[in-house]
Amino acid sequence: MGLRALTLSSRAPGVRRARRVDEQSGAFLLRSLLPFDLDLTVTGAFEDTESRVLRGVVGGDLEGVSGWSVRPHGTGSRVVLEQDMVARKALIRRLEVPFRPLFSANHYLLTYRGHRGLKAWLGGGREAHRAREDDRRSGTRSE
């Protein structure tokens, strides 16, 4: 995990805290709409700049593998997030079945805000400012 990725992640909506652990790992505290945090450590497991694929092993409140791939799409690129996770946090495990639709909506909101933040950061200028203002108004706080 590069330092640049960790810096970008620490500014993303829903990321409460991000810190570098070592050359390959970062620790993150995440929160979306639901009133609980996820404490995660991500360790880079596979990176191929030629095929534009990045995979990491996730530990902590969730365990599994998460990865990104970037593919050409029209005049730009399409970024695909793939995850295979198991909940380890007791609260999530107890409520996983009855609250699955709520957890799915919460995850969607977190990834939507991350997508919007990344798009704004890549685009810079007015769009980045507007995304930050919208997040401030909605109560999202990034550290």
Side-chain angles (χ1 to χ4, degrees):
M1 167 179 295
L3 183 57
R4 186 173 178 87
L6 184 59
T7 301
L8 175 59
S9 297
S10 67
R11 293 186 217 160
V15 177
R16 299 285 184 158
R17 185 175 60 237
R19 69 176 175 78
R20 188 180 192 134
V21 173
D22 58 34
E23 288 298 315
Q24 292 295 314
S25 303
F28 301 88
L29 189 65
L30 307 176
R31 178 181 282 197
S32 186
L33 188 60
L34 296 177
F36 63 84
D37 294 330
L38 291 176
D39 194 1
L40 306 174
T41 301
V42 180
T43 302
F46 177 79
E47 182 175 358
D48 184 342
T49 55
E50 189 172 311
S51 64
R52 297 159 69 171
V53 173
L54 176 64
R55 299 276 180 263
V57 176
V58 178
D61 291 337
L62 301 176
E63 289 183 359
V65 179
S66 182
W68 299 88
S69 57
V70 180
R71 302 281 181 251
H73 181 76
T75 59
S77 299
R78 176 175 298 236
V79 179
V80 178
L81 168 64
E82 298 173 280
Q83 297 177 317
D84 184 11
M85 302 287 198
V86 175
R88 295 294 180 219
K89 186 172 188 140
L91 174 66
I92 296 173
R93 291 178 67 89
R94 277 195 302 275
L95 301 176
E96 188 172 11
V97 174
F99 288 98
R100 183 168 286 144
L102 190 58
F103 286 157
S104 292
N106 193 62
H107 181 266
Y108 173 81
L109 180 61
L110 182 68
T111 56
Y112 171 79
R113 286 179 170 168
H115 169 263
R116 189 159 178 243
L118 178 60
K119 186 176 178 183
W121 182 78
L122 291 170
R126 193 181 319 226
E127 190 175 337
H129 178 72
R130 187 177 19 222
R132 283 192 301 272
E133 288 301 314
D134 287 350
D135 288 334
R136 278 192 203 107
R137 280 193 289 279
S138 71
T140 300
R141 190 179 109 229
S142 299
E143 296 177 359

